[in-house]
Amino acid sequence: MRVFRIVRSILFSIGAVAGAGSILLVIATLAFGLRPLVVISGSMEPGIPTGSLILTRTVPAADLEIGDVVTVPRPDGRGPVTHRVVETEMTEQGPVTLELQGDASAAKDPQPYVVNEAGLLQLTVPGLGVVVQGLRSPLGIAGVGTVLVGLVLLYFVQPTGASPKPEHTAES
Protein backbone atom coordinates (compact mmCIF):
# COMPACT_ATOMS: atom_id res chain seq x y z
CA MET A 1 0.00 0.00 0.00
CA ARG A 2 2.84 2.38 0.86
CA VAL A 3 4.59 1.55 -2.43
CA PHE A 4 1.38 2.33 -4.32
CA ARG A 5 1.16 5.77 -2.67
CA ILE A 6 4.80 6.51 -3.46
CA VAL A 7 4.45 5.44 -7.10
CA ARG A 8 1.22 7.43 -7.42
CA SER A 9 2.89 10.51 -5.92
CA ILE A 10 5.86 10.21 -8.29
CA LEU A 11 3.60 9.82 -11.34
CA PHE A 12 1.50 12.83 -10.36
CA SER A 13 4.65 14.89 -9.78
CA ILE A 14 5.96 13.97 -13.24
CA GLY A 15 2.57 14.81 -14.76
CA ALA A 16 2.46 18.16 -12.95
CA VAL A 17 5.96 19.11 -14.10
CA ALA A 18 5.18 18.10 -17.71
CA GLY A 19 1.91 20.03 -17.66
CA ALA A 20 3.49 23.13 -16.13
CA GLY A 21 6.34 22.96 -18.64
CA SER A 22 3.88 22.74 -21.53
CA ILE A 23 1.91 25.71 -20.24
CA LEU A 24 5.09 27.77 -19.76
CA LEU A 25 6.24 26.91 -23.30
CA VAL A 26 2.92 28.05 -24.77
CA ILE A 27 2.98 31.28 -22.73
CA ALA A 28 6.60 31.97 -23.71
CA THR A 29 5.92 31.43 -27.41
CA LEU A 30 2.94 33.79 -27.29
CA ALA A 31 4.61 36.43 -25.09
CA PHE A 32 7.84 36.58 -27.08
CA GLY A 33 6.40 35.95 -30.55
CA LEU A 34 8.24 32.66 -30.94
CA ARG A 35 7.32 30.00 -33.47
CA PRO A 36 8.26 26.37 -32.86
CA LEU A 37 9.40 24.28 -35.83
CA VAL A 38 10.74 20.75 -36.20
CA VAL A 39 13.90 20.22 -38.28
CA ILE A 40 13.24 17.40 -40.75
CA SER A 41 16.44 17.41 -42.82
CA GLY A 42 20.15 17.30 -42.15
CA SER A 43 21.04 20.44 -44.11
CA MET A 44 22.14 22.32 -40.96
CA GLU A 45 23.99 19.48 -39.23
CA PRO A 46 25.94 19.16 -37.04
CA GLY A 47 24.90 22.47 -35.39
CA ILE A 48 21.17 21.80 -35.78
CA PRO A 49 20.60 18.03 -35.96
CA THR A 50 17.63 16.44 -37.69
CA GLY A 51 14.82 16.02 -35.17
CA SER A 52 15.60 19.22 -33.29
CA LEU A 53 12.91 21.62 -32.14
CA ILE A 54 13.82 25.19 -33.03
CA LEU A 55 12.20 28.43 -31.90
CA THR A 56 12.27 31.40 -34.25
CA ARG A 57 11.17 35.01 -33.84
CA THR A 58 9.88 36.98 -36.83
CA VAL A 59 12.08 40.00 -37.64
CA PRO A 60 12.22 42.43 -40.59
CA ALA A 61 14.48 41.05 -43.33
CA ALA A 62 16.38 44.34 -43.37
CA ASP A 63 17.62 43.57 -39.83
CA LEU A 64 19.30 40.31 -40.86
CA GLU A 65 23.05 39.93 -41.07
CA ILE A 66 25.36 37.48 -42.79
CA GLY A 67 25.75 34.46 -40.54
CA ASP A 68 22.23 34.59 -39.07
CA VAL A 69 20.25 31.36 -39.19
CA VAL A 70 16.77 32.08 -40.53
CA THR A 71 13.58 30.31 -41.52
CA VAL A 72 11.85 31.52 -44.69
CA PRO A 73 9.18 30.10 -46.99
CA ARG A 74 10.46 28.25 -50.04
CA PRO A 75 9.66 29.92 -53.38
CA ASP A 76 8.00 26.72 -54.64
CA GLY A 77 5.62 26.58 -51.65
CA ARG A 78 6.99 23.30 -50.23
CA GLY A 79 7.15 24.68 -46.69
CA PRO A 80 9.82 26.57 -44.79
CA VAL A 81 13.59 26.19 -45.02
CA THR A 82 16.03 26.97 -42.20
CA HIS A 83 19.49 27.92 -43.46
CA ARG A 84 22.28 30.42 -42.80
CA VAL A 85 22.35 33.84 -44.49
CA VAL A 86 25.45 34.05 -46.72
CA GLU A 87 24.52 37.14 -48.74
CA THR A 88 21.89 39.88 -48.64
CA GLU A 89 20.77 42.42 -51.19
CA MET A 90 18.75 45.30 -49.82
CA THR A 91 16.61 47.72 -51.75
CA GLU A 92 15.50 51.21 -50.76
CA GLN A 93 12.00 49.97 -50.08
CA GLY A 94 10.45 46.59 -50.46
CA PRO A 95 11.66 43.07 -49.98
CA VAL A 96 15.19 41.88 -49.28
CA THR A 97 16.89 39.19 -51.36
CA LEU A 98 18.59 36.56 -49.22
CA GLU A 99 21.11 33.99 -50.39
CA LEU A 100 21.03 31.05 -47.98
CA GLN A 101 23.13 27.95 -47.51
CA GLY A 102 22.82 24.92 -45.26
CA ASP A 103 25.81 24.32 -43.01
CA ALA A 104 26.09 20.76 -44.35
CA SER A 105 26.03 21.95 -47.98
CA ALA A 106 29.00 22.98 -50.10
CA ALA A 107 26.89 25.31 -52.27
CA LYS A 108 24.34 28.06 -51.79
CA ASP A 109 20.66 27.28 -52.24
CA PRO A 110 19.79 27.28 -55.96
CA GLN A 111 17.30 30.16 -55.75
CA PRO A 112 17.42 33.35 -53.70
CA TYR A 113 14.64 34.09 -51.23
CA VAL A 114 12.86 37.41 -51.63
CA VAL A 115 11.27 38.28 -48.29
CA ASN A 116 10.05 41.16 -46.15
CA GLU A 117 10.56 39.24 -42.91
CA ALA A 118 12.13 36.01 -41.69
CA GLY A 119 12.16 33.81 -38.61
CA LEU A 120 15.45 34.42 -36.81
CA LEU A 121 16.69 31.38 -34.87
CA GLN A 122 16.45 31.90 -31.10
CA LEU A 123 16.83 28.43 -29.61
CA THR A 124 17.62 24.87 -30.68
CA VAL A 125 16.68 21.82 -28.59
CA PRO A 126 18.15 18.67 -30.18
CA GLY A 127 15.83 15.64 -30.15
CA LEU A 128 12.73 17.44 -28.84
CA GLY A 129 11.30 17.78 -32.34
CA VAL A 130 11.07 13.99 -32.59
CA VAL A 131 8.99 13.95 -29.41
CA VAL A 132 6.74 16.77 -30.67
CA GLN A 133 6.20 15.02 -34.01
CA GLY A 134 5.43 11.78 -32.20
CA LEU A 135 2.89 13.46 -29.95
CA ARG A 136 1.17 15.01 -32.97
CA SER A 137 0.64 11.64 -34.65
CA PRO A 138 -2.61 9.69 -34.15
CA LEU A 139 -0.73 7.11 -32.07
CA GLY A 140 0.87 9.86 -29.97
CA ILE A 141 -2.47 11.55 -29.34
CA ALA A 142 -3.98 8.20 -28.32
CA GLY A 143 -1.01 7.57 -26.02
CA VAL A 144 -1.34 10.95 -24.30
CA GLY A 145 -5.07 10.38 -23.88
CA THR A 146 -4.45 6.95 -22.40
CA VAL A 147 -1.89 8.33 -19.95
CA LEU A 148 -4.27 11.11 -18.88
CA VAL A 149 -7.14 8.67 -18.34
CA GLY A 150 -4.76 6.41 -16.42
CA LEU A 151 -3.66 9.28 -14.17
CA VAL A 152 -7.28 10.23 -13.45
CA LEU A 153 -8.13 6.62 -12.60
CA LEU A 154 -5.00 6.31 -10.49
CA TYR A 155 -6.08 9.37 -8.53
CA PHE A 156 -9.47 7.89 -7.65
CA VAL A 157 -8.48 4.24 -7.21
CA GLN A 158 -7.46 3.09 -3.75
CA PRO A 159 -5.59 -0.19 -3.36
CA THR A 160 -7.59 -3.02 -1.83
CA GLY A 161 -6.48 -5.88 0.31
CA ALA A 162 -5.25 -3.92 3.28
CA SER A 163 -7.76 -2.94 5.88
CA PRO A 164 -7.35 0.48 7.43
CA LYS A 165 -6.00 0.57 10.96
CA PRO A 166 -8.53 1.58 13.54
CA GLU A 167 -8.03 5.02 14.99
CA HIS A 168 -7.15 5.15 18.67
CA THR A 169 -9.33 7.31 20.81
CA ALA A 170 -8.33 8.78 24.10
CA GLU A 171 -10.49 7.80 27.03
CA SER A 172 -11.30 10.35 29.67
Side-chain angles (χ1 to χ4, degrees), residues 39-119:
V39 177
I40 59 172
S41 79
S43 66
M44 288 299 290
E45 289 187 344
I48 305 175
T50 302
S52 296
L53 178 74
I54 61 172
L55 296 176
T56 64
R57 182 176 46 84
T58 301
V59 299
D63 293 350
L64 297 173
E65 298 176 358
I66 292 175
D68 287 341
V69 176
V70 298
T71 299
V72 295
R74 295 176 197 254
D76 60 10
R78 292 184 309 141
V81 62
T82 301
H83 281 169
R84 191 171 304 278
V85 176
V86 293
E87 196 174 315
T88 64
E89 184 181 319
M90 310 237 182
T91 58
E92 297 259 342
Q93 289 184 349
V96 174
T97 301
L98 300 174
E99 295 279 347
L100 303 181
Q101 181 175 339
D103 288 354
S105 178
K108 292 191 277 188
D109 293 0
Q111 295 179 336
Y113 302 87
V114 180
V115 295
N116 289 313
E117 59 187 19

Side-chain angles (χ1 to χ4, degrees), residues 4-43:
F4 177 79
R5 284 194 304 247
I6 291 171
V7 169
R8 183 168 74 173
S9 177
I10 289 170
L11 290 175
F12 280 124
S13 296
I14 291 170
V17 168
S22 297
I23 291 169
L24 287 175
L25 183 61
V26 168
I27 290 171
T29 57
L30 294 173
F32 298 110
L34 299 175
R35 179 178 177 207
L37 297 163
V38 177
V39 177
I40 59 172
S41 79
S43 66

